[in-house]
Amino acid sequence: MPIQYYLFLSMALFCIGIMGTLMRRNAIIIFMCIEMMLNAVNLLLVAFSKMYGDSSAQIFVFFNMVVAAAEVAVGLAIIVMMYRKVHSVDINILNRLKH
Amino acid sequence: MSIYEVLFWFLTVVALSCALGVILSRNPVNSVLFLILTFFAISGHYILMNAQFLAIVNIIVYAGAIMVLFLFVIMLMNLNADTEPQKNRLVQLAGVISGGVLFLVVLAALKSSSRGELEQTSTDIGLIKNLGKTLFTQFVLPFEISSVLFLSAMIGAIVIGKKEEASTNN
């Protein structure tokens, strides 16, 4: 199995995540697309780890998961707080930093 | 076509179609369920690449904990397809085109890159014994720092999500 297949699979997942981030207006779905992009990178790291026979890349995947979990906890808390204030998760309404 | 390739293509098709389902489905709950399926497919890829520990952690942490958190928040807010904010078609099209163009550019750039082969012999670098050895010898300082990061994230989430009355009273 050439490494190119995994390269293209993880690139495709990453680009689908980017498309979702740009397309959708729901803040929670944008968050889920960011998770998808992180997972695409994880997949590529594991493929390289297998190719070179080195376990350091798998440790990086582990740290990636830790940071993603912390990010989700804080981000969802921010979204819940925003929802309590404006009763919406539409990011068109959540552009107050501009004013 | 060996069993390895059959499994690879099956998991690839499942992962990509479920990822498309995440961004195309109108209902946010359906999006979460599609994302869980995507994570299961990625875990299958990890098992194919002899990274058993990461496959299990992926299922437990992502498909288990994080996605349940997402599902809880969505159900708490009572979001469904009717409350889905609508968006300008032109901006949507621009998002799809820019994502697709990025994919094509990287595809073209990496097509002629140096190619390596993933050997299909089973290795034991993905087992928990070897990963633990690497983690606690080479990467012990990042490990401890990440625990501090995680603690501060938890405290931050609690502080942010606290009720407003506490701050308005004093």
PDB file of all heavy atoms in Angstrom, chain A residues 62-86:
ATOM      1  N   PHE A  62      -1.272  11.336  20.219  1.00  0.00           N
ATOM      2  CA  PHE A  62      -1.792  11.329  21.595  1.00  0.00           C
ATOM      3  C   PHE A  62      -1.921  12.756  22.135  1.00  0.00           C
ATOM      4  O   PHE A  62      -2.969  13.146  22.663  1.00  0.00           O
ATOM      5  CB  PHE A  62      -0.833  10.492  22.437  1.00  0.00           C
ATOM      6  CG  PHE A  62      -1.259  10.273  23.847  1.00  0.00           C
ATOM      7  CD1 PHE A  62      -2.343   9.474  24.129  1.00  0.00           C
ATOM      8  CD2 PHE A  62      -0.574  10.856  24.878  1.00  0.00           C
ATOM      9  CE1 PHE A  62      -2.732   9.272  25.422  1.00  0.00           C
ATOM     10  CE2 PHE A  62      -0.951  10.653  26.184  1.00  0.00           C
ATOM     11  CZ  PHE A  62      -2.036   9.857  26.449  1.00  0.00           C
ATOM     12  N   PHE A  63      -0.872  13.558  21.958  1.00  0.00           N
ATOM     13  CA  PHE A  63      -0.926  14.949  22.430  1.00  0.00           C
ATOM     14  C   PHE A  63      -1.981  15.739  21.660  1.00  0.00           C
ATOM     15  O   PHE A  63      -2.660  16.605  22.231  1.00  0.00           O
ATOM     16  CB  PHE A  63       0.438  15.614  22.286  1.00  0.00           C
ATOM     17  CG  PHE A  63       1.421  15.151  23.306  1.00  0.00           C
ATOM     18  CD1 PHE A  63       2.691  14.766  22.944  1.00  0.00           C
ATOM     19  CD2 PHE A  63       1.074  15.103  24.641  1.00  0.00           C
ATOM     20  CE1 PHE A  63       3.587  14.325  23.881  1.00  0.00           C
ATOM     21  CE2 PHE A  63       1.962  14.658  25.579  1.00  0.00           C
ATOM     22  CZ  PHE A  63       3.224  14.280  25.199  1.00  0.00           C
ATOM     23  N   ASN A  64      -2.094  15.457  20.367  1.00  0.00           N
ATOM     24  CA  ASN A  64      -3.108  16.108  19.556  1.00  0.00           C
ATOM     25  C   ASN A  64      -4.493  15.876  20.131  1.00  0.00           C
ATOM     26  O   ASN A  64      -5.318  16.790  20.213  1.00  0.00           O
ATOM     27  CB  ASN A  64      -3.024  15.523  18.146  1.00  0.00           C
ATOM     28  CG  ASN A  64      -3.289  16.539  17.090  1.00  0.00           C
ATOM     29  OD1 ASN A  64      -3.869  17.569  17.373  1.00  0.00           O
ATOM     30  ND2 ASN A  64      -2.874  16.253  15.892  1.00  0.00           N
ATOM     31  N   MET A  65      -4.748  14.626  20.542  1.00  0.00           N
ATOM     32  CA  MET A  65      -6.061  14.308  21.120  1.00  0.00           C
ATOM     33  C   MET A  65      -6.273  15.059  22.422  1.00  0.00           C
ATOM     34  O   MET A  65      -7.376  15.547  22.690  1.00  0.00           O
ATOM     35  CB  MET A  65      -6.163  12.805  21.365  1.00  0.00           C
ATOM     36  CG  MET A  65      -6.382  12.004  20.131  1.00  0.00           C
ATOM     37  SD  MET A  65      -6.385  10.272  20.528  1.00  0.00           S
ATOM     38  CE  MET A  65      -6.603   9.597  18.898  1.00  0.00           C
ATOM     39  N   VAL A  66      -5.215  15.167  23.248  1.00  0.00           N
ATOM     40  CA  VAL A  66      -5.347  15.879  24.526  1.00  0.00           C
ATOM     41  C   VAL A  66      -5.715  17.341  24.273  1.00  0.00           C
ATOM     42  O   VAL A  66      -6.645  17.880  24.879  1.00  0.00           O
ATOM     43  CB  VAL A  66      -4.041  15.774  25.327  1.00  0.00           C
ATOM     44  CG1 VAL A  66      -4.078  16.695  26.515  1.00  0.00           C
ATOM     45  CG2 VAL A  66      -3.821  14.361  25.783  1.00  0.00           C
ATOM     46  N   VAL A  67      -4.994  17.982  23.346  1.00  0.00           N
ATOM     47  CA  VAL A  67      -5.261  19.392  23.065  1.00  0.00           C
ATOM     48  C   VAL A  67      -6.657  19.558  22.476  1.00  0.00           C
ATOM     49  O   VAL A  67      -7.380  20.508  22.813  1.00  0.00           O
ATOM     50  CB  VAL A  67      -4.176  19.947  22.127  1.00  0.00           C
ATOM     51  CG1 VAL A  67      -4.515  21.343  21.699  1.00  0.00           C
ATOM     52  CG2 VAL A  67      -2.851  19.944  22.829  1.00  0.00           C
ATOM     53  N   ALA A  68      -7.072  18.609  21.598  1.00  0.00           N
ATOM     54  CA  ALA A  68      -8.408  18.705  21.014  1.00  0.00           C
ATOM     55  C   ALA A  68      -9.478  18.595  22.085  1.00  0.00           C
ATOM     56  O   ALA A  68     -10.481  19.312  22.042  1.00  0.00           O
ATOM     57  CB  ALA A  68      -8.587  17.623  19.959  1.00  0.00           C
ATOM     58  N   ALA A  69      -9.275  17.697  23.045  1.00  0.00           N
ATOM     59  CA  ALA A  69     -10.278  17.538  24.103  1.00  0.00           C
ATOM     60  C   ALA A  69     -10.381  18.812  24.935  1.00  0.00           C
ATOM     61  O   ALA A  69     -11.482  19.275  25.251  1.00  0.00           O
ATOM     62  CB  ALA A  69      -9.919  16.349  24.982  1.00  0.00           C
ATOM     63  N   ALA A  70      -9.225  19.425  25.265  1.00  0.00           N
ATOM     64  CA  ALA A  70      -9.243  20.669  26.040  1.00  0.00           C
ATOM     65  C   ALA A  70      -9.939  21.769  25.253  1.00  0.00           C
ATOM     66  O   ALA A  70     -10.763  22.521  25.795  1.00  0.00           O
ATOM     67  CB  ALA A  70      -7.820  21.080  26.387  1.00  0.00           C
ATOM     68  N   GLU A  71      -9.642  21.826  23.940  1.00  0.00           N
ATOM     69  CA  GLU A  71     -10.246  22.842  23.084  1.00  0.00           C
ATOM     70  C   GLU A  71     -11.763  22.681  23.043  1.00  0.00           C
ATOM     71  O   GLU A  71     -12.508  23.671  23.115  1.00  0.00           O
ATOM     72  CB  GLU A  71      -9.641  22.708  21.692  1.00  0.00           C
ATOM     73  CG  GLU A  71     -10.244  23.568  20.643  1.00  0.00           C
ATOM     74  CD  GLU A  71     -10.570  22.800  19.400  1.00  0.00           C
ATOM     75  OE1 GLU A  71      -9.857  21.839  19.094  1.00  0.00           O
ATOM     76  OE2 GLU A  71     -11.540  23.155  18.735  1.00  0.00           O
ATOM     77  N   VAL A  72     -12.235  21.432  22.930  1.00  0.00           N
ATOM     78  CA  VAL A  72     -13.677  21.205  22.862  1.00  0.00           C
ATOM     79  C   VAL A  72     -14.347  21.622  24.157  1.00  0.00           C
ATOM     80  O   VAL A  72     -15.418  22.235  24.140  1.00  0.00           O
ATOM     81  CB  VAL A  72     -13.951  19.721  22.545  1.00  0.00           C
ATOM     82  CG1 VAL A  72     -15.370  19.375  22.883  1.00  0.00           C
ATOM     83  CG2 VAL A  72     -13.697  19.459  21.101  1.00  0.00           C
ATOM     84  N   ALA A  73     -13.708  21.326  25.297  1.00  0.00           N
ATOM     85  CA  ALA A  73     -14.326  21.690  26.574  1.00  0.00           C
ATOM     86  C   ALA A  73     -14.505  23.193  26.672  1.00  0.00           C
ATOM     87  O   ALA A  73     -15.600  23.693  26.981  1.00  0.00           O
ATOM     88  CB  ALA A  73     -13.468  21.163  27.721  1.00  0.00           C
ATOM     89  N   VAL A  74     -13.440  23.961  26.386  1.00  0.00           N
ATOM     90  CA  VAL A  74     -13.528  25.415  26.492  1.00  0.00           C
ATOM     91  C   VAL A  74     -14.461  25.975  25.424  1.00  0.00           C
ATOM     92  O   VAL A  74     -15.307  26.834  25.698  1.00  0.00           O
ATOM     93  CB  VAL A  74     -12.126  26.028  26.389  1.00  0.00           C
ATOM     94  CG1 VAL A  74     -12.220  27.528  26.383  1.00  0.00           C
ATOM     95  CG2 VAL A  74     -11.281  25.591  27.543  1.00  0.00           C
ATOM     96  N   GLY A  75     -14.343  25.481  24.183  1.00  0.00           N
ATOM     97  CA  GLY A  75     -15.155  26.020  23.089  1.00  0.00           C
ATOM     98  C   GLY A  75     -16.632  25.793  23.304  1.00  0.00           C
ATOM     99  O   GLY A  75     -17.439  26.694  23.073  1.00  0.00           O
ATOM    100  N   LEU A  76     -17.008  24.589  23.750  1.00  0.00           N
ATOM    101  CA  LEU A  76     -18.430  24.342  23.962  1.00  0.00           C
ATOM    102  C   LEU A  76     -18.952  25.181  25.124  1.00  0.00           C
ATOM    103  O   LEU A  76     -20.092  25.637  25.085  1.00  0.00           O
ATOM    104  CB  LEU A  76     -18.679  22.859  24.211  1.00  0.00           C
ATOM    105  CG  LEU A  76     -18.675  22.025  22.953  1.00  0.00           C
ATOM    106  CD1 LEU A  76     -18.920  20.577  23.289  1.00  0.00           C
ATOM    107  CD2 LEU A  76     -19.735  22.471  21.989  1.00  0.00           C
ATOM    108  N   ALA A  77     -18.102  25.437  26.141  1.00  0.00           N
ATOM    109  CA  ALA A  77     -18.533  26.320  27.228  1.00  0.00           C
ATOM    110  C   ALA A  77     -18.800  27.719  26.699  1.00  0.00           C
ATOM    111  O   ALA A  77     -19.801  28.355  27.063  1.00  0.00           O
ATOM    112  CB  ALA A  77     -17.468  26.358  28.320  1.00  0.00           C
ATOM    113  N   ILE A  78     -17.928  28.199  25.795  1.00  0.00           N
ATOM    114  CA  ILE A  78     -18.140  29.534  25.212  1.00  0.00           C
ATOM    115  C   ILE A  78     -19.427  29.556  24.395  1.00  0.00           C
ATOM    116  O   ILE A  78     -20.218  30.500  24.477  1.00  0.00           O
ATOM    117  CB  ILE A  78     -16.931  29.927  24.335  1.00  0.00           C
ATOM    118  CG1 ILE A  78     -15.718  30.170  25.212  1.00  0.00           C
ATOM    119  CG2 ILE A  78     -17.230  31.168  23.527  1.00  0.00           C
ATOM    120  CD1 ILE A  78     -14.465  30.427  24.439  1.00  0.00           C
ATOM    121  N   ILE A  79     -19.676  28.482  23.597  1.00  0.00           N
ATOM    122  CA  ILE A  79     -20.886  28.457  22.771  1.00  0.00           C
ATOM    123  C   ILE A  79     -22.128  28.443  23.646  1.00  0.00           C
ATOM    124  O   ILE A  79     -23.106  29.146  23.370  1.00  0.00           O
ATOM    125  CB  ILE A  79     -20.845  27.242  21.825  1.00  0.00           C
ATOM    126  CG1 ILE A  79     -19.793  27.466  20.749  1.00  0.00           C
ATOM    127  CG2 ILE A  79     -22.185  27.034  21.165  1.00  0.00           C
ATOM    128  CD1 ILE A  79     -19.643  26.317  19.812  1.00  0.00           C
ATOM    129  N   VAL A  80     -22.090  27.643  24.742  1.00  0.00           N
ATOM    130  CA  VAL A  80     -23.263  27.597  25.625  1.00  0.00           C
ATOM    131  C   VAL A  80     -23.510  28.962  26.246  1.00  0.00           C
ATOM    132  O   VAL A  80     -24.657  29.431  26.344  1.00  0.00           O
ATOM    133  CB  VAL A  80     -23.049  26.513  26.704  1.00  0.00           C
ATOM    134  CG1 VAL A  80     -24.087  26.638  27.796  1.00  0.00           C
ATOM    135  CG2 VAL A  80     -23.128  25.148  26.081  1.00  0.00           C
ATOM    136  N   MET A  81     -22.425  29.650  26.640  1.00  0.00           N
ATOM    137  CA  MET A  81     -22.593  30.982  27.234  1.00  0.00           C
ATOM    138  C   MET A  81     -23.171  31.968  26.215  1.00  0.00           C
ATOM    139  O   MET A  81     -24.080  32.749  26.519  1.00  0.00           O
ATOM    140  CB  MET A  81     -21.245  31.477  27.724  1.00  0.00           C
ATOM    141  CG  MET A  81     -21.326  32.677  28.586  1.00  0.00           C
ATOM    142  SD  MET A  81     -19.764  33.505  28.590  1.00  0.00           S
ATOM    143  CE  MET A  81     -19.623  34.029  26.916  1.00  0.00           C
ATOM    144  N   MET A  82     -22.680  31.910  24.968  1.00  0.00           N
ATOM    145  CA  MET A  82     -23.214  32.769  23.913  1.00  0.00           C
ATOM    146  C   MET A  82     -24.693  32.482  23.681  1.00  0.00           C
ATOM    147  O   MET A  82     -25.494  33.405  23.499  1.00  0.00           O
ATOM    148  CB  MET A  82     -22.471  32.507  22.605  1.00  0.00           C
ATOM    149  CG  MET A  82     -21.095  33.057  22.549  1.00  0.00           C
ATOM    150  SD  MET A  82     -21.157  34.802  22.302  1.00  0.00           S
ATOM    151  CE  MET A  82     -19.546  35.092  21.644  1.00  0.00           C
ATOM    152  N   TYR A  83     -25.034  31.179  23.677  1.00  0.00           N
ATOM    153  CA  TYR A  83     -26.430  30.816  23.428  1.00  0.00           C
ATOM    154  C   TYR A  83     -27.340  31.351  24.518  1.00  0.00           C
ATOM    155  O   TYR A  83     -28.466  31.762  24.265  1.00  0.00           O
ATOM    156  CB  TYR A  83     -26.556  29.295  23.344  1.00  0.00           C
ATOM    157  CG  TYR A  83     -27.948  28.833  22.992  1.00  0.00           C
ATOM    158  CD1 TYR A  83     -28.407  28.930  21.691  1.00  0.00           C
ATOM    159  CD2 TYR A  83     -28.796  28.324  23.960  1.00  0.00           C
ATOM    160  CE1 TYR A  83     -29.681  28.527  21.368  1.00  0.00           C
ATOM    161  CE2 TYR A  83     -30.074  27.914  23.639  1.00  0.00           C
ATOM    162  CZ  TYR A  83     -30.501  28.021  22.338  1.00  0.00           C
ATOM    163  OH  TYR A  83     -31.771  27.623  22.009  1.00  0.00           O
ATOM    164  N   ARG A  84     -26.817  31.372  25.767  1.00  0.00           N
ATOM    165  CA  ARG A  84     -27.634  31.901  26.854  1.00  0.00           C
ATOM    166  C   ARG A  84     -27.887  33.379  26.671  1.00  0.00           C
ATOM    167  O   ARG A  84     -28.929  33.885  27.064  1.00  0.00           O
ATOM    168  CB  ARG A  84     -26.900  31.670  28.170  1.00  0.00           C
ATOM    169  CG  ARG A  84     -27.511  30.548  28.967  1.00  0.00           C
ATOM    170  CD  ARG A  84     -27.055  30.657  30.388  1.00  0.00           C
ATOM    171  NE  ARG A  84     -26.492  29.398  30.800  1.00  0.00           N
ATOM    172  CZ  ARG A  84     -25.369  29.285  31.478  1.00  0.00           C
ATOM    173  NH1 ARG A  84     -24.678  30.368  31.802  1.00  0.00           N
ATOM    174  NH2 ARG A  84     -24.932  28.113  31.822  1.00  0.00           N
ATOM    175  N   LYS A  85     -26.937  34.086  26.070  1.00  0.00           N
ATOM    176  CA  LYS A  85     -27.102  35.539  25.916  1.00  0.00           C
ATOM    177  C   LYS A  85     -27.961  35.902  24.713  1.00  0.00           C
ATOM    178  O   LYS A  85     -28.835  36.750  24.807  1.00  0.00           O
ATOM    179  CB  LYS A  85     -25.729  36.197  25.790  1.00  0.00           C
ATOM    180  CG  LYS A  85     -24.961  36.213  27.085  1.00  0.00           C
ATOM    181  CD  LYS A  85     -23.943  37.329  27.055  1.00  0.00           C
ATOM    182  CE  LYS A  85     -23.013  37.276  28.229  1.00  0.00           C
ATOM    183  NZ  LYS A  85     -23.594  37.795  29.450  1.00  0.00           N
ATOM    184  N   VAL A  86     -27.688  35.299  23.535  1.00  0.00           N
ATOM    185  CA  VAL A  86     -28.378  35.742  22.321  1.00  0.00           C
ATOM    186  C   VAL A  86     -29.352  34.703  21.776  1.00  0.00           C
ATOM    187  O   VAL A  86     -30.010  34.955  20.778  1.00  0.00           O
ATOM    188  CB  VAL A  86     -27.373  36.123  21.228  1.00  0.00           C
ATOM    189  CG1 VAL A  86     -26.516  37.271  21.677  1.00  0.00           C
ATOM    190  CG2 VAL A  86     -26.513  34.949  20.843  1.00  0.00           C
TER     191      VAL A  86
END
